[in-house]
Structure formats: structure tokens, C-alpha cells
């Protein structure tokens, strides 16, 4: 069985791809040690979006880049593993951050049994 001694950071962009992002974060708290949100947006926008969505988190990126935030989180939380769940746009971030592993949100969703947001192809034309 995999260790739950894990710090999980999820990008806001990855959360937007989930059908039930708040539920996914709640679920993650049951199998991780620490769960937080990182973003490259200005901190006041990040905080507002997190607050309005009611997301559970133990850390936010604050006024820094995602790479800087992950480095700070690594220094603050001592766990066996560090995983960053992001999007195609954020995939290369962990290349510059020691100890972090990148997981594409669609892969993480499949593993964790989270639903990906789907958009209706019928739009407003449904009879």
C-alpha cells in the first residue's frame, strides 16, 4: 500500500478542470498529510477565488511563482513525497524544483476517482 505521508499541491487551473473540485480537495485530505493550492495569479486573486469556491487548503502560493511556492512548501512540510497536480501549461514547473513529482490533472483524477468537468456539445440547441 502506498504511503499517505504525502504533501499534495494542486494548481488552480487543474481544479478548474474537475467537475467537483471542492470534493476532490476534501477527498485528498483523507489520503495525504498536507493539501494546498498554488497559482501564478496575483495572491489577491488567488485568495478570492479560493475563498469564494470554499476550497479546503493548508497552504496557498502567496505572492510568488508556482516554483517558488513549491520550494517554500517543501521547506515547511516534512513528508516522504511531494506531488504537484497541474495542467499541460504547468507540467515543466517541477523540473526546477527538487523533490516534487508532477501529475497531470487528468491522470490524478483517474487514479483518485475524481470526475473531470465535461462541457455539453449541444449547448443551447437541445430541443
Amino acid at each position: 500500500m502506498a504511503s499517505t505521508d504525502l504533501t499534495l499541491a494542486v494548481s488552480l487551473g487543474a481544479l478548474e478542470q474537475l467537475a467537483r473540485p471542492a470534493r476532490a480537495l476534501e477527498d485528498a485530505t483523507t489520503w495525504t498529510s498536507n493539501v494546498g493550492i498554488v497559482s501564478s495569479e496575483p495572491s489577491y486573486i488567488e485568495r478570492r477565488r479560493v475563498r469564494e469556491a470554499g476550497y479546503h487548503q493548508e497552504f496557498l502560493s502567496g505572492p510568488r511563482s508556482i516554483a517558488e511556492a513549491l520550494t517554500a512548501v517543501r521547506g515547511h512540510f516534512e513528508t516522504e513525497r511531494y506531488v504537484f497536480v497541474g495542467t499541460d501549461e504547468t507540467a515543466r514547473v517541477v523540473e526546477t524544483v527538487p523533490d516534487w513529482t508532477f501529475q497531470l490533472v487528468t491522470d490524478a483524477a483517474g487514479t483518485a476517482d475524481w470526475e473531470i468537468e465535461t462541457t455539453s456539445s449541444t449547448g443551447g440547441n437541445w430541443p
Side-chain angles (χ1 to χ4, degrees):
M1 181 174 179
S3 170
T4 59
D5 192 19
L6 164 73
T7 296
L8 181 70
V10 184
S11 75
L12 275 175
L15 287 172
E16 289 173 348
Q17 292 185 23
L18 298 174
R20 299 178 62 200
R23 178 66 190 115
L25 290 173
E26 282 179 36
D27 175 55
T29 65
T30 66
W31 46 265
T32 63
S33 299
N34 311 289
V35 178
I37 300 168
V38 293
S39 170
S40 57
E41 294 185 8
S43 58
Y44 72 93
I45 292 173
E46 176 186 37
R47 284 188 187 103
R48 186 187 78 228
R49 288 178 62 193
V50 167
R51 182 180 62 249
E52 288 174 354
Y55 294 150
H56 168 83
Q57 84 287 334
E58 295 169 328
F59 58 85
L60 292 170
S61 53
R64 59 187 104 180
S65 71
I66 291 175
E68 291 170 326
L70 294 177
T71 299
V73 167
R74 170 65 179 89
H76 187 72
F77 296 106
E78 288 265 339
T79 54
E80 289 179 15
R81 295 176 45 220
Y82 300 88
V83 177
F84 171 53
V85 175
T87 62
D88 289 330
E89 293 78 30
T90 58
R92 298 187 67 105
V93 168
V94 296
E95 291 177 4
T96 62
V97 184
D99 300 323
W100 284 88
T101 302
F102 177 78
Q103 185 79 41
L104 190 62
V105 65
T106 51
D107 295 338
T111 301
D113 203 23
W114 300 333
E115 290 182 46
I116 296 294
E117 181 69 51
T118 58
T119 55
S120 174
S121 60
T122 58
N125 297 331
W126 186 256

